């Protein structure tokens, strides 16, 4: 091997220009994310400010910002809660089915199939909601009004198009189903095998094993997953904008044609034609939505992460 | 999907071959789980046929009666514990079956309504001068391609670099903890809020009422960046540390190690993650509705005024179909079908990438 | 071109934990130096501090001096990347780059440093390095196949070829044979004997016979108790260590009367 006189080790001066440039770029990208998020908050506040400070009679509806946004927040929460109540038990059932009951060979494929639901664009869910789900639910609404009308939720009069709050909530439920079931599957899969085997060794049936060794372990994961689903449901726009027939304000009546809108749907429907203070008002409502989803998502992350710490 | 399928207990480790009830001798035969459920479902069929109930009602009734029959018989023959197990099996299987109903119904509705206009004209003409029949989504398809490509161009470098920072440079320090947390928060931003942000940003720059393709791309980027960061981070973590050390020990600087060793090793995962993140935003409607708007003619310049995009096109064709409405509504369905095809194709490509380009180690 | 390494008062830390303490040693050029000692006593840690691979681990740091050729490797002005170019390393588990062919693996060190070379030059480097690593005859017909497709012993020799392709002064090897069968182990031991004419070699091994077979000098590391830092107890010519060590602990360890 040719022996060349080796140069002395180079010093810091010319070293790693590439390294500092690259590290700097990576760091800058990370910081940009902080900036973007701050930007979202700042720009929303800036553009919402005129509506917040405006005289009540200038705000759409003529009774001030709170009166305008209030029913929207109510509608948003109502639709999301319906979705959550319907989707969570179903999602847990699906997760249990895929993890413990389905034939081993099929399990992965079934998981993919459920995930397909998550891939469908929300505008398509909206189409399906109007044209397939809503008409299919009309007879059910009639039946509910006739037989359970004494419950305020089903007081009626039943909508003849089916485009009600309950329909919107059900569409949302289908949309958040894959989110909750994916996280539930994850936590069920991580339940310690040792406990499960111990339970089986004691002669437990499959369900007893799940009750003893899986559900206690997965509970906070499921709660976190449900809250992430809630966050998604709160912000869902197009499906609701299409499905829900809006008129009137706050009501718990789920099957009539008079429903409050949701924040997101209201923005989507009114923004394109709005100018001036109307735009600021819509942005102010968007700010409210941002704050609500932020709170829900942070709480969800907290619950999910606490579980992760606990696991380690 | 009207007959949900409770599966026979076929998992050796999950299905104990003995329990107290079984040991005392009473055990239903293997096919009983199925058989009883179908029996119950048939019981539900009788009133359906007589009273002319709808399919949906029949499915619900079949599940309920099937479950009750299975549980009741098992309870009588096998005892409480075994019957509870069967009850739960019926319930979770039904949960899965119920989730499949909307999926199949949705795909069926969209395909059957959408194939009608899936013709050459749909792909080649725009909506200029079209009121009723005819017209297409050429301009919207182009718009979606341009806006999505632009969003990808913005999100991928930022997302990949951020992930590189978190995995390679962050050292779990304060900044990287903050970034991780905020990426999580960003994942939860509603798409309409992302749209409002982009609008507010561009309204400050260009005055109120602005509609630009690039504003839509920025809105989509807000939704896309966290997805990219998350998936790239996962992939980079999978690259074994030994490879980094091997490169360092050869006197390769860190940045070259990342570019020449870490990223190529993770290439398949990167491709998959980025493709999935595109799939995530390509069907987004709300942010484009308020930032990009809609046009009837082709506009390929994202820096100059409104553009048409496929999801927004679908929305407006449905809500403002023109006269007579059926032509617009048909175009809307075809656009929806096209969107589903696009998203599914992207998902398929993602899966193929991870299959085909996975590093060929046979260790 | 092989060089001497002088270590003085070296303390090595992982965060607040002091893993190795007070090492003073002079490693001879053109020879094989073996490091032995019980598990966890800091042999790998010490070895990795010789080419500044130690500091790659978050929180890891070093106090003291490592001098090669009159230059302190831990001088604040010294570029760790340049140090590693001159002091190469072979790891316990073979780690060829999975995305690269055998050929590309060998020239990885040259190419990844941005060197633009003519095909004939890289061809020469590949042949020479693989010859030196006693691997040429086995792989010369399939240089374009993935490096990860070789057997474990071949992969390890490929890693050695890759390390010597950049022509370092010193070659550090951390238990290079522990994942290999006896035949591959012998192949690599022979290789070390050949390579020591050109490189300074430091090897960590748990195999005392191996240390006795291949090395001129041997260092024995030990630690007094759990959580205590490891120390270099004895450093002497191999013959002396294995026949008549100065320290009682060394003798106990060598003769298997340890612990
Ligand atoms: N990455 C690390 N972070 C913290 N402590 C570490 C790390 N690596 C090693 N240590 C600690 O440093 C001490 C020395 O470890 P080292 O790996 O150098 O031992 P060794 O002599 O090479 O052992 P073996 O013969 O098992 O390879 C041990 O107490 C170990 O726990
Ligand atoms: Mg070691």
């Amino acid at each position: 091997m040719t022996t060349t006189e080796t140069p002395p080790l180079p010093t810091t001066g010319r070293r790693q220009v590439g390294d500092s440039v690259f590290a700097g770029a990576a760091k800058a990208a990370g910081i940009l994310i902080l900036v973007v998020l701050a930007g979202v908050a700042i720009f929303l506040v800036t553009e919402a400010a005129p509506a917040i400070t405006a005289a009540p009679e200038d705000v759409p509806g003529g009774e001030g910002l709170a009166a305008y946004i209030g029913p929207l927040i109510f509608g948003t929460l109502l639709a999301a809660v319906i979705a959550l109540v319907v989707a969570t038990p179903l999602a847990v059932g699906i997760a249990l089915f895929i993890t413990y009951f389905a034939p081993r060979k099929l399990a992965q494929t079934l998981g993919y199939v459920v995930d397909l639901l998550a891939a469908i664009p929300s505008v398509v869910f909206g189409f399906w909601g109007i044209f397939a789900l809503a008409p299919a639910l009309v007879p059910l609404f009639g039946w509910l009004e006739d037989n359970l009308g004494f419950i305020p939720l089903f007081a009626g009069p039943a909508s003849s198009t089916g485009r009600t709050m309950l329909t919107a909530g059900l569409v949302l439920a289908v949309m958040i189903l894959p989110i909750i079931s994916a996280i539930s599957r994850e936590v069920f899969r991580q339940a310690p095998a040792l406990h499960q085997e111990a339970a089986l060794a004691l002669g437990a049936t499959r369900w007893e094993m799940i009750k003893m060794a899986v559900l206690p372990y997965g509970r906070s994961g499921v709660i976190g997953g449900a809250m992430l689903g809630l966050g998604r449901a709160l912000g869902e726009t197009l499906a609701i904008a299409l499905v829900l027939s809006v008129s009137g304000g706050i009501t718990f009546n789920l099957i009539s044609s008079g429903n409050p809108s949701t924040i997101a749907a209201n923005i989507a429907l009114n923004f394109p034609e709005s100018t001036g203070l109307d735009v600021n008002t819509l942005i102010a409502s968007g700010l409210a939505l941002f704050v609500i989803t932020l709170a829900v998502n942070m709480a969800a992350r907290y619950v999910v992460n606490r579980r992760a710490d606990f696991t380690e | 999907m009207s007959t949900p399928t409770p599966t026979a207990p076929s998992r050796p480790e999950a299905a104990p071959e003995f329990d107290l009830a079984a040991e005392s001798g009473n055990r239903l035969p293997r096919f009983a789980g199925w058989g009883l459920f179908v029996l119950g479902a048939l019981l539900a069929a009788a009133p359906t046929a007589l009273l002319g109930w709808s399919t949906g009602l029949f499915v619900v009734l079949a599940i309920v009666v099937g479950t009750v029959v299975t549980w009741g018989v098992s309870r009588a023959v096998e005892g409480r514990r075994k019957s509870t197990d069967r009850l739960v099996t019926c319930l979770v299987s039904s949960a899965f079956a119920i989730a499949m109903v909307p999926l199949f119904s949705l795909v069926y509705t969209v395909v059957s309504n959408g194939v009608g206009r899936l013709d050459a004209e749909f792909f080649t003409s725009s909506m200029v001068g079209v009121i009723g029949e005819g017209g297409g989504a050429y301009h919207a398809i182009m718009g979606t391609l341009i806006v999505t490509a632009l969003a990808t161009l913005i999100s991928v470098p930022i997302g990949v670099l951020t992930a590189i920072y978190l995995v390679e440079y962050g050292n779990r320090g304060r900044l990287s903890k903050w970034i991780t947390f905020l990426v999580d928060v960003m994942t939860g931003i509603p798409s309409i809020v992302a749209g409002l942000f982009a609008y507010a940003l561009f309204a400050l720059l260009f005055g109120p009422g602005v509609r630009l393709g690039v504003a839509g791309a920025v809105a989509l980027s807000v939704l896309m960046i966290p997805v990219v960061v998350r998936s790239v981070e996962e992939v980079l973590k999978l690259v074994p540390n030994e490879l980094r050390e091997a490169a360092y020990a050869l006197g390769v600087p860190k940045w070259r190690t990342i570019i020449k060793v870490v990223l190529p090793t993770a290439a398949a995962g990167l491709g998959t993650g980025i493709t999935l993140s595109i799939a995530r935003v390509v069907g987004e409607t709300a942010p484009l509705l308020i930032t990009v708007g809609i046009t009837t003619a082709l506009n390929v310049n994202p820096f100059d005024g409104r553009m048409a995009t496929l999801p927004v096109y679908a929305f407006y064709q449905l809500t403002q179909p023109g006269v007579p409405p059926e032509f617009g509504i048909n175009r809307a369905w075809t656009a929806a079908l096209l969107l589903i095809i696009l998203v599914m194709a992207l998902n398929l490509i993602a899966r193929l990438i991870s299959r085909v380009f996975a590093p060929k180690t046979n260790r | 071109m092989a060089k001497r390494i002088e270590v003085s008062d070296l303390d090595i830390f992982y965060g607040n934990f002091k893993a190795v303490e007070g090492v003073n040693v002079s490693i001879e050029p053109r020879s094989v130096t073996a490091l032995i000692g019980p598990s966890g006593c800091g042999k790998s840690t010490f070895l990795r501090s010789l080419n500044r691979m130690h500091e790659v681990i978050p929180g890891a740091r070093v106090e003291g001096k490592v001098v090669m050729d009159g230059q302190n490797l831990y001088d604040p002005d010294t570029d760790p990347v340049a140090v590693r170019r001159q002091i190469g390393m072979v790891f316990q588990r073979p780690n060829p780059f999975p995305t690269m062919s055998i050929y590309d693996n060998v020239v990885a060190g040259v190419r990844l440093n941005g060197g633009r070379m003519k095909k004939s030059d890289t061809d020469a480097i590949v042949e020479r390095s693989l010859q030196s690593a006693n691997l040429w005859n086995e792989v010369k017909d399939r240089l374009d196949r993935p490096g990860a497709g070789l057997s474990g012993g071949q992969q390890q020799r490929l890693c050695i070829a890759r390390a010597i392709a950049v022509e370092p002064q010193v070659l550090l090897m951390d238990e290079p044979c522990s994942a290999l069968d006896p035949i591959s182990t012998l192949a690599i031991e022979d290789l070390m004997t050949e390579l020591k004419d050109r490189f300074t070699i430091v090897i960590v091994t748990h195999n005392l016979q191996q240390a006795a077979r291949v090395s001129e000098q041997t260092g024995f590391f030990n630690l007094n108790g759990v959580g205590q830092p490891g120390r270099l107890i004895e450093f002497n010519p191999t013959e002396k260590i294995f026949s008549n060590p100065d320290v009682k602990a060394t003798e106990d360890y060598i003769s298997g009367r340890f612990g």
Side-chain angles (χ1 to χ4, degrees):
Chain A
M1 190 168 287
T2 48
T3 309
T4 45
E5 194 46 52
T6 47
L9 297 173
T11 52
T12 335
R14 50 164 258 211
R15 97 177 189 205
Q16 298 155 14
V17 187
D19 241 346
S20 29
V21 169
F22 192 72
K27 194 168 180 172
I31 292 174
L32 187 66
I33 289 190
L34 309 189
V35 173
V36 166
L37 212 63
V40 172
I42 293 171
F43 287 136
L44 289 186
V45 171
T46 321
E47 289 286 307
I52 296 171
T53 54
E57 58 273 17
D58 294 339
V59 171
E63 293 167 43
L65 195 61
Y68 179 79
I69 295 185
L72 294 176
I73 293 182
F74 174 81
T76 307
L77 293 178
L78 185 58
V81 167
I82 295 173
L84 199 64
V85 168
V86 175
T88 308
L90 270 182
V92 171
I94 292 169
L96 286 178
F97 177 75
I98 292 178
T99 334
Y100 293 102
F101 290 84
R104 177 66 52 89
K105 280 191 199 124
L106 277 181
Q108 204 184 15
T109 316
L110 296 181
Y112 284 151
V113 173
V114 175
D115 288 344
L116 279 186
L117 274 179
I120 293 169
S122 62
V123 66
V124 180
F125 270 110
F127 281 27
W128 174 74
I130 297 185
F131 286 94
L133 185 62
L137 288 178
V138 170
L140 175 70
F141 293 159
W143 185 87
L144 284 174
E145 184 194 359
D146 293 343
N147 297 289
L148 297 172
F150 57 90
I151 304 173
L153 295 178
F154 307 126
S159 156
S160 61
T161 57
R163 295 169 58 185
T164 69
M165 190 54 98
L166 188 55
T167 312
L170 289 179
V171 173
L172 283 189
V174 177
M175 298 177 73
I176 65 174
L177 205 55
I179 299 177
I180 307 179
S181 88
I183 292 184
S184 305
R185 248 158 67 201
E186 194 63 26
V187 294
F188 291 159
R189 222 162 35 95
Q190 287 170 2
L194 219 60
H195 294 189
Q196 297 173 34
E197 283 161 14
L200 289 177
L202 291 173
T205 62
R206 184 158 42 181
W207 165 240
E208 286 163 345
M209 180 273 284
I210 290 171
K211 209 166 57 172
M212 270 156 52
V214 177
L215 292 186
Y217 183 86
R219 186 177 299 136
S220 64
V222 171
I223 294 174
M227 289 172 77
L228 287 181
L230 179 64
R232 172 84 197 273
L234 290 170
E236 182 46 49
T237 313
L238 255 293
I240 302 229
L242 285 168
V243 170
L244 196 60
S245 118
V246 175
S247 66
I250 295 177
T251 168
F252 277 105
N253 189 340
L254 301 184
I255 58 169
S256 78
S257 50
N259 302 289
S261 189
T262 70
I263 297 178
N266 182 58
I267 297 173
L269 290 175
N270 293 319
F271 199 92
E273 271 75 50
S274 294
T275 51
L277 193 65
D278 292 3
V279 171
N280 301 115
T281 312
L282 289 175
I283 292 182
S285 72
L287 183 64
L289 176 64
F290 180 54
V291 172
I292 295 172
T293 49
L294 206 64
V296 169
N297 281 315
M298 275 161 128
R301 289 291 163 195
Y302 175 75
V303 174
V304 173
N305 291 341
R306 198 184 48 175
R307 185 190 62 83
D309 291 345
F310 181 69
T311 320
E312 272 169 7
Chain B
M1 280 313 294
S2 58
T3 42
T5 56
T7 47
S10 59
R11 261 191 219 177
E13 82 282 17
E17 286 305 313
F18 60 90
D19 61 34
L20 293 181
E23 273 160 8
S24 58
N26 292 325
R27 193 139 193 275
L28 286 168
R30 254 191 115 78
F31 59 83
W34 260 95
L36 287 171
F37 194 91
V38 172
L39 187 73
L42 287 178
L43 282 181
T48 308
L50 285 178
L51 302 173
W53 288 341
S54 70
T55 329
L57 199 56
F58 165 68
V59 170
V60 174
L61 206 66
I63 288 175
V64 171
V65 179
T67 306
V68 169
V69 168
T70 311
W71 178 73
V73 173
S74 167
R75 168 101 206 216
V77 180
E78 296 179 310
R80 189 181 55 79
R81 296 178 57 214
K82 192 71 198 169
S83 65
T84 314
D85 195 48
R86 286 200 190 276
L87 176 67
V88 173
T89 308
C90 286
L91 288 179
V92 297
S93 312
S94 307
F96 184 80
I98 289 172
M100 289 301 99
V101 174
L103 181 64
F104 282 89
S105 155
L106 186 146
V107 170
Y108 172 78
T109 321
V110 175
V111 171
S112 60
N113 285 308
V115 282
R117 277 303 319 272
L118 205 61
D119 49 26
E121 191 184 2
F122 193 79
F123 288 94
T124 51
S125 58
S126 67
M127 291 299 292
V128 179
V130 178
I131 299 169
E133 203 171 352
Y138 172 64
H139 59 314
I141 296 170
M142 291 306 287
T144 283
L145 292 182
I146 292 169
V147 172
T148 311
L150 210 54
T152 310
L153 228 56
I154 299 172
S155 314
V156 168
I158 296 178
V160 172
L161 280 172
T162 303
I164 287 178
Y165 177 77
L166 292 177
V167 177
E168 309 283 342
Y169 289 100
N171 284 340
R172 291 186 232 111
R174 258 242 295 287
L175 180 61
S176 62
K177 282 215 179 93
W178 267 104
I179 294 175
T180 307
F181 174 72
L182 291 179
V183 166
D184 277 349
V185 168
M186 234 171 138
T187 317
I189 291 187
S191 58
I192 190 93
V193 173
L196 288 179
F197 159 69
Y199 170 80
L201 175 66
F202 281 82
L204 286 181
L205 298 175
F206 299 99
V210 60
R211 297 284 190 280
L212 285 177
V214 64
V218 168
L220 293 187
S221 298
V222 172
L223 301 171
M224 196 169 163
I225 287 173
V227 185
V228 176
V229 174
R230 259 323 176 68
S231 57
V232 174
E233 202 186 343
E234 290 305 314
V235 180
L236 292 185
K237 280 184 187 159
L238 287 180
V239 175
N241 235 339
E242 303 169 11
L243 296 181
R244 296 186 180 89
E245 298 208 328
Y248 297 154
L250 292 170
V252 182
K254 188 164 185 169
W255 68 284
R256 273 182 184 281
T257 303
I258 294 168
I259 292 176
K260 296 277 177 81
V261 175
V262 176
L263 292 183
T265 309
L270 294 179
T272 306
I274 290 170
T275 313
L276 285 178
S277 71
I278 296 174
R280 160 82 178 71
V281 299
V282 77
E284 279 295 347
T285 316
L288 299 181
L289 194 65
I290 62 180
T291 53
V292 184
I294 186 76
T295 57
T296 50
L298 178 68
N299 169 17
V300 292
N301 186 354
F303 299 96
D304 179 25
R306 295 164 179 265
M307 292 173 84
T309 51
L310 204 49
V312 179
Y313 172 88
F315 175 77
Y316 276 119
Q317 288 300 320
L318 188 80
T319 52
Q320 303 171 8
V323 278
E326 65 262 26
F327 298 113
I329 292 177
N330 284 341
R331 284 192 294 266
W333 280 111
T334 307
L337 176 60
L338 215 53
L339 271 181
I340 290 195
I341 293 175
L342 203 58
V343 175
M344 294 302 158
L346 284 168
N347 276 287
L348 204 68
I349 292 172
R351 199 137 285 150
L352 282 181
I353 291 177
S354 69
R355 238 350 111 70
V356 177
F357 294 102
K360 298 161 198 68
T361 36
N362 38 357
R363 257 197 259 182
Chain C
M1 65 190 261
K3 283 182 178 161
R4 178 192 307 272
I5 300 180
E6 312 250 12
V7 180
S8 44
D9 294 328
L10 194 67
D11 295 342
I12 313 174
F13 300 83
Y14 290 102
N16 292 325
F17 171 62
K18 193 192 240 184
V20 175
E21 182 178 63
V23 178
N24 286 290
V25 70
S26 167
I27 293 169
E28 293 296 317
R30 287 196 184 73
S31 70
V32 177
T33 301
L35 302 176
I36 58 172
S39 197
C41 64
K43 305 179 297 292
S44 302
T45 305
F46 173 69
L47 195 74
R48 288 167 61 93
S49 70
L50 292 182
N51 68 340
R52 297 190 64 169
M53 282 296 288
H54 178 64
E55 67 204 60
V56 168
I57 296 164
R61 68 200 162 81
V62 159
E63 285 170 11
K65 271 170 118 179
V66 178
V67 177
M68 183 173 76
D69 217 13
Q71 192 169 0
N72 181 8
L73 302 186
Y74 281 97
D75 194 275
D77 283 344
T78 307
D79 179 0
V81 171
V83 170
R84 293 179 204 135
R85 296 218 62 183
Q86 308 211 358
I87 308 181
M89 187 157 206
V90 176
F91 297 81
Q92 181 169 358
R93 271 185 42 190
N95 52 2
F97 298 122
T99 50
M100 298 184 192
S101 65
I102 294 175
Y103 186 102
D104 291 338
N105 259 289
V106 177
V107 288
V110 183
R111 284 228 183 110
L112 292 183
N113 281 304
R116 264 192 192 286
M117 297 186 100
K118 278 191 302 218
K119 178 89 167 73
S120 58
D121 289 348
T122 51
D123 282 351
I125 292 180
V126 168
E127 177 163 1
R128 194 171 58 210
S129 309
L130 286 173
Q131 295 268 17
S132 304
N134 286 337
L135 190 61
W136 175 248
N137 288 329
E138 288 159 68
V139 300
K140 63 171 183 255
D141 301 324
R142 44 174 171 155
L143 292 174
D144 55 345
R145 307 292 301 280
L150 298 172
S151 79
Q154 290 171 327
Q155 286 187 22
Q156 191 64 302
R157 278 179 282 153
L158 178 61
C159 292
I160 295 176
R162 180 176 68 184
I164 59 187
V166 294
E167 302 191 12
Q169 313 286 326
V170 181
L171 206 53
L172 309 176
M173 300 188 175
D174 191 352
E175 303 185 39
C177 305
S178 67
L180 305 183
D181 69 299
I183 309 262
S184 308
T185 302
L186 275 184
I188 288 182
E189 286 182 11
D190 289 344
L191 181 57
M192 279 187 264
T193 321
E194 286 169 29
L195 292 177
K196 75 179 174 194
D197 296 339
R198 286 156 37 202
F199 304 98
T200 305
I201 296 180
V202 185
I203 172 178
V204 170
T205 178
H206 278 283
N207 182 336
L208 298 181
Q209 283 82 33
Q210 184 172 60
R213 280 195 297 265
V214 299
S215 70
E216 277 79 42
Q217 306 279 325
T218 297
F220 173 59
F221 275 86
N222 202 356
L223 75 182
N224 293 331
V226 183
Q228 306 264 1
R231 296 167 160 280
L232 179 60
I233 302 285
E234 179 168 357
F235 189 82
N236 267 320
T238 303
E239 264 172 47
K240 181 165 169 53
I241 290 260
F242 280 93
S243 57
N244 177 25
D246 290 337
V247 183
K248 175 79 166 50
T250 315
E251 192 177 347
D252 288 352
Y253 183 75
I254 303 284
S255 56
R257 262 181 281 138
F258 190 80

